[in-house]
Amino acid sequence: MHVYTRDDMRHPDPACAELSDRLDAAATVRSVDELAGGLERHLAGCQACAGLVERQRGLVRLLSSAPEAPQATFDPPSLPRRAGGRLLPLPAWLAAAAAAAVFVVAGLRLPMGPAERVRVDRVVDVAGAPPPVDERLLALTAGSEAVAMRRPTELR
Amino acid sequence: MIRTALAAGFLLLAALSGAPGCSRPPDRQADDAAALLRRAVEAERTCVYSGYKRTIHGREGEGRATRMKVSHTSAGRTLLEWDEGGGPARRWECSTRAPWMADTDLVLGNYSATLDAADGPVIAWRDTRRLTLRSARPGRPSLELLVDKETSIVLREEIRDFDGRVWLTNVFDTIEYRSPPNAPDAPPDGAAEQLADVREADADVPAMPLSVTSAPEGFRRVSRSRAPRDGVREDWTDGLAAFSVTLRPGEAGPSSGRDGELQRRTCSGRASVTGILGGVEVVVLGNLPVSDLEAVARSLAPAR
């Protein structure tokens, strides 16, 4: 299963790189038409970017729909302070940024919920039954000459 | 001091002039290869030619071959003719002979092109250059082209499947760069069957009940069309490889298996994944490894 991640945006197309930079904006606008700089046209034609924006929107929706944490107050027990005066060996802002980064990366890599995709219980390999030859796929992979080559023997 | 300056000057001159035997930088080679690929596509549109070529299923000299006459007329029409021997010839008309010619940008975005520094072999008494298209991703086909050195018409194509086996060879035995004597610039109506362009979408195609939520990297949907038995299908390609997704109302049964079961089938160079998923018959077919097609089937989600 492939899940779109920011790694998918390592693309030679600079529009993909710009979309990656403006991913949060793209995921929070009401309509992609509000995006400036031609990004709405790019989204219409780029499956990878459209998929990534859709995933990010799902994450935003999920976060928005979460109930607020209960308000409670309590007096924390007093802990012995470190010699440096901090509980953690990192500045608070750095710890918060690291936690946020872990959350974002984990969120992006989470597969879609099972309820959103089709349910597959079992996979069976069938031997001795080759897949059918499909003329449209033959045209897309081998071209018109291969399609014509099949027809003399099949239609005559 | 003077000796040092002379030596430095000599080295600079050698570097600027390009010493014999030195290869060109890789990025220049890639640019040359991409430019030749684009010239080949343009030549296919503009050159007038007529010749006989064989389409061989597999390696040249081993697989089943069909010989055809191929013409590109001054009116810009591409005609294929096949004569069983004695009987009337059958004639087809197509818009693009090779699928990679339809979207060069897509091919070059997914496959790296390399051009041999040395000349390729002589094909149909014409000098050639060898151009190869390969993907950095595993499980993708590759393409080797021998391109006419003078006109840029592709004289020989060899397609290898994702396992590296030669799957199809197209090669000109003869070619003339002029209209054939009995130029079929305007064959009478009905004399040539039209080979439909897969990329042309059908009109009024119903919506897919399920949609692909994650296609393999580099693939683009190129068409949506009706399929037999009230089905709809989508075709996706990355320029050389392709897969289709066909959906229709379905019920679990002895042949289709129970709902939620995927059946995988493989054959040299192609594979399929079929099953009934949520009451929808799903058929995913393509020239990709079966694991890629299974991932496509698993990514299907109710269309919104």
mmCIF file of all heavy atoms in Angstrom, chain B residues 246-288:
data_model
loop_
_atom_site.group_PDB
_atom_site.id
_atom_site.type_symbol
_atom_site.label_atom_id
_atom_site.label_comp_id
_atom_site.label_asym_id
_atom_site.label_seq_id
_atom_site.Cartn_x
_atom_site.Cartn_y
_atom_site.Cartn_z
ATOM 1 N N THR B 246 -11.203 -1.909 -13.807
ATOM 2 C CA THR B 246 -12.567 -2.059 -14.306
ATOM 3 C C THR B 246 -13.472 -2.436 -13.142
ATOM 4 O O THR B 246 -13.135 -3.318 -12.350
ATOM 5 C CB THR B 246 -12.628 -3.155 -15.394
ATOM 6 O OG1 THR B 246 -11.678 -2.849 -16.410
ATOM 7 C CG2 THR B 246 -14.006 -3.248 -16.003
ATOM 8 N N LEU B 247 -14.601 -1.750 -13.044
ATOM 9 C CA LEU B 247 -15.552 -1.984 -11.950
ATOM 10 C C LEU B 247 -16.926 -2.224 -12.546
ATOM 11 O O LEU B 247 -17.315 -1.566 -13.510
ATOM 12 C CB LEU B 247 -15.618 -0.762 -11.019
ATOM 13 C CG LEU B 247 -14.293 -0.247 -10.440
ATOM 14 C CD1 LEU B 247 -14.544 1.041 -9.664
ATOM 15 C CD2 LEU B 247 -13.664 -1.275 -9.520
ATOM 16 N N ARG B 248 -17.644 -3.178 -11.983
ATOM 17 C CA ARG B 248 -19.020 -3.427 -12.421
ATOM 18 C C ARG B 248 -19.760 -4.084 -11.265
ATOM 19 O O ARG B 248 -19.112 -4.621 -10.343
ATOM 20 C CB ARG B 248 -19.055 -4.303 -13.667
ATOM 21 C CG ARG B 248 -18.374 -5.640 -13.527
ATOM 22 C CD ARG B 248 -18.630 -6.508 -14.756
ATOM 23 N NE ARG B 248 -18.090 -5.942 -15.963
ATOM 24 C CZ ARG B 248 -16.873 -6.203 -16.445
ATOM 25 N NH1 ARG B 248 -16.067 -7.018 -15.786
ATOM 26 N NH2 ARG B 248 -16.461 -5.662 -17.565
ATOM 27 N N PRO B 249 -21.082 -4.032 -11.273
ATOM 28 C CA PRO B 249 -21.819 -4.704 -10.204
ATOM 29 C C PRO B 249 -21.467 -6.187 -10.189
ATOM 30 O O PRO B 249 -21.378 -6.810 -11.244
ATOM 31 C CB PRO B 249 -23.289 -4.502 -10.583
ATOM 32 C CG PRO B 249 -23.282 -3.380 -11.555
ATOM 33 C CD PRO B 249 -21.967 -3.388 -12.252
ATOM 34 N N GLY B 250 -21.243 -6.732 -9.031
ATOM 35 C CA GLY B 250 -20.834 -8.138 -8.973
ATOM 36 C C GLY B 250 -21.315 -8.822 -7.723
ATOM 37 O O GLY B 250 -21.669 -8.185 -6.731
ATOM 38 N N GLU B 251 -21.378 -10.121 -7.796
ATOM 39 C CA GLU B 251 -21.778 -10.920 -6.640
ATOM 40 C C GLU B 251 -20.743 -12.007 -6.423
ATOM 41 O O GLU B 251 -20.155 -12.520 -7.379
ATOM 42 C CB GLU B 251 -23.146 -11.581 -6.887
ATOM 43 C CG GLU B 251 -24.302 -10.607 -6.833
ATOM 44 C CD GLU B 251 -25.625 -11.321 -7.038
ATOM 45 O OE1 GLU B 251 -25.631 -12.565 -7.047
ATOM 46 O OE2 GLU B 251 -26.634 -10.624 -7.198
ATOM 47 N N ALA B 252 -20.548 -12.348 -5.171
ATOM 48 C CA ALA B 252 -19.619 -13.422 -4.853
ATOM 49 C C ALA B 252 -20.159 -14.741 -5.419
ATOM 50 O O ALA B 252 -21.373 -14.949 -5.481
ATOM 51 C CB ALA B 252 -19.442 -13.518 -3.346
ATOM 52 N N GLY B 253 -19.270 -15.580 -5.872
ATOM 53 C CA GLY B 253 -19.687 -16.855 -6.443
ATOM 54 C C GLY B 253 -18.505 -17.798 -6.537
ATOM 55 O O GLY B 253 -17.390 -17.433 -6.161
ATOM 56 N N PRO B 254 -18.757 -19.019 -7.064
ATOM 57 C CA PRO B 254 -17.680 -20.012 -7.124
ATOM 58 C C PRO B 254 -16.481 -19.523 -7.936
ATOM 59 O O PRO B 254 -15.335 -19.790 -7.588
ATOM 60 C CB PRO B 254 -18.347 -21.217 -7.798
ATOM 61 C CG PRO B 254 -19.812 -21.006 -7.660
ATOM 62 C CD PRO B 254 -20.031 -19.538 -7.577
ATOM 63 N N SER B 255 -16.740 -18.804 -9.044
ATOM 64 C CA SER B 255 -15.611 -18.390 -9.887
ATOM 65 C C SER B 255 -14.981 -17.099 -9.394
ATOM 66 O O SER B 255 -13.769 -16.911 -9.513
ATOM 67 C CB SER B 255 -16.071 -18.223 -11.338
ATOM 68 O OG SER B 255 -17.073 -17.227 -11.400
ATOM 69 N N SER B 256 -15.806 -16.219 -8.837
ATOM 70 C CA SER B 256 -15.255 -14.925 -8.432
ATOM 71 C C SER B 256 -14.739 -14.930 -6.995
ATOM 72 O O SER B 256 -14.061 -14.001 -6.573
ATOM 73 C CB SER B 256 -16.323 -13.832 -8.595
ATOM 74 O OG SER B 256 -17.486 -14.194 -7.887
ATOM 75 N N GLY B 257 -15.059 -15.990 -6.249
ATOM 76 C CA GLY B 257 -14.618 -16.033 -4.859
ATOM 77 C C GLY B 257 -15.577 -15.267 -3.974
ATOM 78 O O GLY B 257 -16.539 -14.652 -4.447
ATOM 79 N N ARG B 258 -15.299 -15.300 -2.685
ATOM 80 C CA ARG B 258 -16.211 -14.618 -1.765
ATOM 81 C C ARG B 258 -15.852 -13.139 -1.680
ATOM 82 O O ARG B 258 -14.746 -12.745 -2.053
ATOM 83 C CB ARG B 258 -16.165 -15.279 -0.399
ATOM 84 C CG ARG B 258 -14.823 -15.127 0.276
ATOM 85 C CD ARG B 258 -14.779 -15.921 1.558
ATOM 86 N NE ARG B 258 -13.552 -15.632 2.277
ATOM 87 C CZ ARG B 258 -13.000 -16.459 3.137
ATOM 88 N NH1 ARG B 258 -13.541 -17.632 3.381
ATOM 89 N NH2 ARG B 258 -11.904 -16.119 3.767
ATOM 90 N N ASP B 259 -16.802 -12.369 -1.176
ATOM 91 C CA ASP B 259 -16.573 -10.927 -1.052
ATOM 92 C C ASP B 259 -15.385 -10.673 -0.121
ATOM 93 O O ASP B 259 -15.314 -11.252 0.969
ATOM 94 C CB ASP B 259 -17.835 -10.248 -0.496
ATOM 95 C CG ASP B 259 -17.858 -8.766 -0.823
ATOM 96 O OD1 ASP B 259 -16.826 -8.105 -0.596
ATOM 97 O OD2 ASP B 259 -18.890 -8.282 -1.314
ATOM 98 N N GLY B 260 -14.470 -9.838 -0.560
ATOM 99 C CA GLY B 260 -13.291 -9.536 0.246
ATOM 100 C C GLY B 260 -12.073 -10.371 -0.120
ATOM 101 O O GLY B 260 -11.017 -10.202 0.477
ATOM 102 N N GLU B 261 -12.232 -11.254 -1.117
ATOM 103 C CA GLU B 261 -11.098 -12.098 -1.521
ATOM 104 C C GLU B 261 -10.525 -11.575 -2.839
ATOM 105 O O GLU B 261 -11.266 -11.312 -3.787
ATOM 106 C CB GLU B 261 -11.571 -13.540 -1.712
ATOM 107 C CG GLU B 261 -10.473 -14.469 -2.204
ATOM 108 C CD GLU B 261 -10.987 -15.894 -2.404
ATOM 109 O OE1 GLU B 261 -11.281 -16.557 -1.395
ATOM 110 O OE2 GLU B 261 -11.114 -16.329 -3.564
ATOM 111 N N LEU B 262 -9.217 -11.419 -2.891
ATOM 112 C CA LEU B 262 -8.550 -10.994 -4.131
ATOM 113 C C LEU B 262 -7.851 -12.198 -4.746
ATOM 114 O O LEU B 262 -7.174 -12.962 -4.042
ATOM 115 C CB LEU B 262 -7.512 -9.910 -3.842
ATOM 116 C CG LEU B 262 -8.026 -8.507 -3.544
ATOM 117 C CD1 LEU B 262 -6.851 -7.573 -3.285
ATOM 118 C CD2 LEU B 262 -8.882 -7.971 -4.689
ATOM 119 N N GLN B 263 -8.042 -12.372 -6.052
ATOM 120 C CA GLN B 263 -7.358 -13.449 -6.771
ATOM 121 C C GLN B 263 -6.272 -12.831 -7.651
ATOM 122 O O GLN B 263 -6.553 -11.906 -8.416
ATOM 123 C CB GLN B 263 -8.359 -14.223 -7.623
ATOM 124 C CG GLN B 263 -9.428 -14.911 -6.783
ATOM 125 C CD GLN B 263 -10.382 -15.748 -7.623
ATOM 126 O OE1 GLN B 263 -10.405 -15.663 -8.839
ATOM 127 N NE2 GLN B 263 -11.177 -16.568 -6.951
ATOM 128 N N ARG B 264 -5.058 -13.363 -7.507
ATOM 129 C CA ARG B 264 -3.932 -12.812 -8.276
ATOM 130 C C ARG B 264 -3.526 -13.809 -9.360
ATOM 131 O O ARG B 264 -3.391 -14.997 -9.104
ATOM 132 C CB ARG B 264 -2.727 -12.543 -7.366
ATOM 133 C CG ARG B 264 -3.083 -11.797 -6.111
ATOM 134 C CD ARG B 264 -1.889 -11.231 -5.392
ATOM 135 N NE ARG B 264 -0.720 -12.089 -5.321
ATOM 136 C CZ ARG B 264 0.455 -11.698 -4.839
ATOM 137 N NH1 ARG B 264 0.592 -10.446 -4.403
ATOM 138 N NH2 ARG B 264 1.465 -12.525 -4.788
ATOM 139 N N ARG B 265 -3.320 -13.288 -10.584
ATOM 140 C CA ARG B 265 -2.857 -14.123 -11.695
ATOM 141 C C ARG B 265 -1.660 -13.447 -12.324
ATOM 142 O O ARG B 265 -1.653 -12.216 -12.497
ATOM 143 C CB ARG B 265 -3.961 -14.309 -12.745
ATOM 144 C CG ARG B 265 -5.140 -15.124 -12.268
ATOM 145 C CD ARG B 265 -6.272 -15.134 -13.279
ATOM 146 N NE ARG B 265 -7.343 -16.024 -12.870
ATOM 147 C CZ ARG B 265 -8.302 -15.704 -12.014
ATOM 148 N NH1 ARG B 265 -8.325 -14.503 -11.474
ATOM 149 N NH2 ARG B 265 -9.240 -16.572 -11.681
ATOM 150 N N THR B 266 -0.661 -14.240 -12.699
ATOM 151 C CA THR B 266 0.522 -13.658 -13.346
ATOM 152 C C THR B 266 0.874 -14.473 -14.581
ATOM 153 O O THR B 266 0.600 -15.663 -14.671
ATOM 154 C CB THR B 266 1.734 -13.662 -12.398
ATOM 155 O OG1 THR B 266 1.949 -14.989 -11.937
ATOM 156 C CG2 THR B 266 1.523 -12.748 -11.222
ATOM 157 N N CYS B 267 1.461 -13.788 -15.526
ATOM 158 C CA CYS B 267 1.945 -14.409 -16.749
ATOM 159 C C CYS B 267 3.156 -13.565 -17.129
ATOM 160 O O CYS B 267 3.353 -12.492 -16.567
ATOM 161 C CB CYS B 267 0.855 -14.328 -17.817
ATOM 162 S SG CYS B 267 1.245 -15.144 -19.345
ATOM 163 N N SER B 268 3.959 -14.030 -18.092
ATOM 164 C CA SER B 268 5.193 -13.294 -18.369
ATOM 165 C C SER B 268 4.877 -11.835 -18.717
ATOM 166 O O SER B 268 4.223 -11.551 -19.707
ATOM 167 C CB SER B 268 5.939 -13.946 -19.518
ATOM 168 O OG SER B 268 5.147 -13.930 -20.671
ATOM 169 N N GLY B 269 5.335 -10.950 -17.871
ATOM 170 C CA GLY B 269 5.237 -9.526 -18.161
ATOM 171 C C GLY B 269 3.918 -8.866 -17.838
ATOM 172 O O GLY B 269 3.772 -7.664 -18.031
ATOM 173 N N ARG B 270 2.924 -9.609 -17.409
ATOM 174 C CA ARG B 270 1.656 -8.966 -17.068
ATOM 175 C C ARG B 270 0.995 -9.719 -15.921
ATOM 176 O O ARG B 270 1.379 -10.855 -15.622
ATOM 177 C CB ARG B 270 0.722 -8.850 -18.269
ATOM 178 C CG ARG B 270 0.371 -10.151 -18.912
ATOM 179 C CD ARG B 270 -0.164 -9.951 -20.327
ATOM 180 N NE ARG B 270 -0.300 -11.232 -20.991
ATOM 181 C CZ ARG B 270 -1.385 -11.979 -20.944
ATOM 182 N NH1 ARG B 270 -2.448 -11.547 -20.283
ATOM 183 N NH2 ARG B 270 -1.450 -13.132 -21.555
ATOM 184 N N ALA B 271 0.019 -9.075 -15.313
ATOM 185 C CA ALA B 271 -0.625 -9.677 -14.143
ATOM 186 C C ALA B 271 -2.024 -9.098 -14.001
ATOM 187 O O ALA B 271 -2.370 -8.084 -14.629
ATOM 188 C CB ALA B 271 0.196 -9.387 -12.889
ATOM 189 N N SER B 272 -2.823 -9.774 -13.175
ATOM 190 C CA SER B 272 -4.157 -9.241 -12.887
ATOM 191 C C SER B 272 -4.515 -9.540 -11.439
ATOM 192 O O SER B 272 -4.018 -10.497 -10.844
ATOM 193 C CB SER B 272 -5.216 -9.849 -13.819
ATOM 194 O OG SER B 272 -5.451 -11.195 -13.486
ATOM 195 N N VAL B 273 -5.371 -8.697 -10.894
ATOM 196 C CA VAL B 273 -5.921 -8.902 -9.556
ATOM 197 C C VAL B 273 -7.424 -8.698 -9.686
ATOM 198 O O VAL B 273 -7.873 -7.660 -10.194
ATOM 199 C CB VAL B 273 -5.330 -7.907 -8.538
ATOM 200 C CG1 VAL B 273 -6.015 -8.040 -7.202
ATOM 201 C CG2 VAL B 273 -3.834 -8.131 -8.386
ATOM 202 N N THR B 274 -8.200 -9.712 -9.293
ATOM 203 C CA THR B 274 -9.651 -9.616 -9.427
ATOM 204 C C THR B 274 -10.309 -9.982 -8.097
ATOM 205 O O THR B 274 -9.703 -10.666 -7.266
ATOM 206 C CB THR B 274 -10.171 -10.582 -10.514
ATOM 207 O OG1 THR B 274 -9.801 -11.916 -10.151
ATOM 208 C CG2 THR B 274 -9.580 -10.268 -11.875
ATOM 209 N N GLY B 275 -11.530 -9.543 -7.928
ATOM 210 C CA GLY B 275 -12.254 -9.902 -6.716
ATOM 211 C C GLY B 275 -13.552 -9.132 -6.608
ATOM 212 O O GLY B 275 -13.813 -8.213 -7.391
ATOM 213 N N ILE B 276 -14.373 -9.546 -5.659
ATOM 214 C CA ILE B 276 -15.593 -8.817 -5.341
ATOM 215 C C ILE B 276 -15.317 -8.069 -4.040
ATOM 216 O O ILE B 276 -15.018 -8.690 -3.010
ATOM 217 C CB ILE B 276 -16.790 -9.772 -5.130
ATOM 218 C CG1 ILE B 276 -16.971 -10.692 -6.339
ATOM 219 C CG2 ILE B 276 -18.057 -8.989 -4.836
ATOM 220 C CD1 ILE B 276 -17.480 -10.024 -7.579
ATOM 221 N N LEU B 277 -15.380 -6.764 -4.103
ATOM 222 C CA LEU B 277 -15.075 -5.948 -2.930
ATOM 223 C C LEU B 277 -16.278 -5.054 -2.642
ATOM 224 O O LEU B 277 -16.588 -4.146 -3.415
ATOM 225 C CB LEU B 277 -13.821 -5.098 -3.167
ATOM 226 C CG LEU B 277 -12.540 -5.886 -3.516
ATOM 227 C CD1 LEU B 277 -11.387 -4.933 -3.812
ATOM 228 C CD2 LEU B 277 -12.150 -6.823 -2.383
ATOM 229 N N GLY B 278 -16.968 -5.352 -1.565
ATOM 230 C CA GLY B 278 -18.148 -4.550 -1.196
ATOM 231 C C GLY B 278 -19.230 -4.588 -2.251
ATOM 232 O O GLY B 278 -19.881 -3.575 -2.510
ATOM 233 N N GLY B 279 -19.410 -5.747 -2.895
ATOM 234 C CA GLY B 279 -20.459 -5.875 -3.900
ATOM 235 C C GLY B 279 -20.076 -5.332 -5.259
ATOM 236 O O GLY B 279 -20.919 -5.255 -6.149
ATOM 237 N N VAL B 280 -18.830 -4.945 -5.438
ATOM 238 C CA VAL B 280 -18.356 -4.430 -6.732
ATOM 239 C C VAL B 280 -17.310 -5.394 -7.271
ATOM 240 O O VAL B 280 -16.366 -5.754 -6.564
ATOM 241 C CB VAL B 280 -17.730 -3.024 -6.582
ATOM 242 C CG1 VAL B 280 -17.201 -2.523 -7.923
ATOM 243 C CG2 VAL B 280 -18.745 -2.051 -6.012
ATOM 244 N N GLU B 281 -17.505 -5.825 -8.537
ATOM 245 C CA GLU B 281 -16.488 -6.673 -9.162
ATOM 246 C C GLU B 281 -15.328 -5.780 -9.597
ATOM 247 O O GLU B 281 -15.528 -4.793 -10.302
ATOM 248 C CB GLU B 281 -17.075 -7.401 -10.368
ATOM 249 C CG GLU B 281 -16.073 -8.350 -11.013
ATOM 250 C CD GLU B 281 -16.594 -8.942 -12.319
ATOM 251 O OE1 GLU B 281 -17.821 -9.124 -12.456
ATOM 252 O OE2 GLU B 281 -15.763 -9.200 -13.198
ATOM 253 N N VAL B 282 -14.144 -6.115 -9.139
ATOM 254 C CA VAL B 282 -12.961 -5.294 -9.400
ATOM 255 C C VAL B 282 -11.986 -6.113 -10.248
ATOM 256 O O VAL B 282 -11.684 -7.266 -9.917
ATOM 257 C CB VAL B 282 -12.271 -4.897 -8.067
ATOM 258 C CG1 VAL B 282 -10.964 -4.165 -8.341
ATOM 259 C CG2 VAL B 282 -13.200 -4.049 -7.214
ATOM 260 N N VAL B 283 -11.522 -5.531 -11.356
ATOM 261 C CA VAL B 283 -10.490 -6.172 -12.184
ATOM 262 C C VAL B 283 -9.377 -5.146 -12.393
ATOM 263 O O VAL B 283 -9.606 -4.089 -12.980
ATOM 264 C CB VAL B 283 -11.051 -6.615 -13.562
ATOM 265 C CG1 VAL B 283 -9.936 -7.256 -14.398
ATOM 266 C CG2 VAL B 283 -12.209 -7.586 -13.387
ATOM 267 N N VAL B 284 -8.209 -5.446 -11.873
ATOM 268 C CA VAL B 284 -7.036 -4.579 -12.080
ATOM 269 C C VAL B 284 -6.057 -5.383 -12.924
ATOM 270 O O VAL B 284 -5.677 -6.497 -12.550
ATOM 271 C CB VAL B 284 -6.376 -4.158 -10.750
ATOM 272 C CG1 VAL B 284 -5.249 -3.182 -11.008
ATOM 273 C CG2 VAL B 284 -7.396 -3.549 -9.817
ATOM 274 N N LEU B 285 -5.675 -4.820 -14.063
ATOM 275 C CA LEU B 285 -4.892 -5.563 -15.047
ATOM 276 C C LEU B 285 -3.764 -4.657 -15.516
ATOM 277 O O LEU B 285 -3.969 -3.454 -15.698
ATOM 278 C CB LEU B 285 -5.848 -5.872 -16.207
ATOM 279 C CG LEU B 285 -5.471 -6.814 -17.319
ATOM 280 C CD1 LEU B 285 -5.265 -8.212 -16.771
ATOM 281 C CD2 LEU B 285 -6.614 -6.841 -18.345
ATOM 282 N N GLY B 286 -2.580 -5.204 -15.714
ATOM 283 C CA GLY B 286 -1.513 -4.334 -16.199
ATOM 284 C C GLY B 286 -0.219 -5.062 -16.443
ATOM 285 O O GLY B 286 -0.076 -6.253 -16.129
ATOM 286 N N ASN B 287 0.759 -4.342 -17.018
ATOM 287 C CA ASN B 287 2.089 -4.924 -17.218
ATOM 288 C C ASN B 287 3.018 -4.463 -16.091
ATOM 289 O O ASN B 287 4.081 -3.917 -16.312
ATOM 290 C CB ASN B 287 2.660 -4.570 -18.600
ATOM 291 C CG ASN B 287 2.892 -3.098 -18.804
ATOM 292 O OD1 ASN B 287 2.308 -2.271 -18.110
ATOM 293 N ND2 ASN B 287 3.751 -2.751 -19.736
ATOM 294 N N LEU B 288 2.540 -4.700 -14.873
ATOM 295 C CA LEU B 288 3.272 -4.366 -13.656
ATOM 296 C C LEU B 288 3.342 -5.612 -12.777
ATOM 297 O O LEU B 288 2.537 -6.533 -12.944
ATOM 298 C CB LEU B 288 2.514 -3.272 -12.882
ATOM 299 C CG LEU B 288 2.512 -1.875 -13.480
ATOM 300 C CD1 LEU B 288 1.530 -0.997 -12.725
ATOM 301 C CD2 LEU B 288 3.895 -1.279 -13.432
#
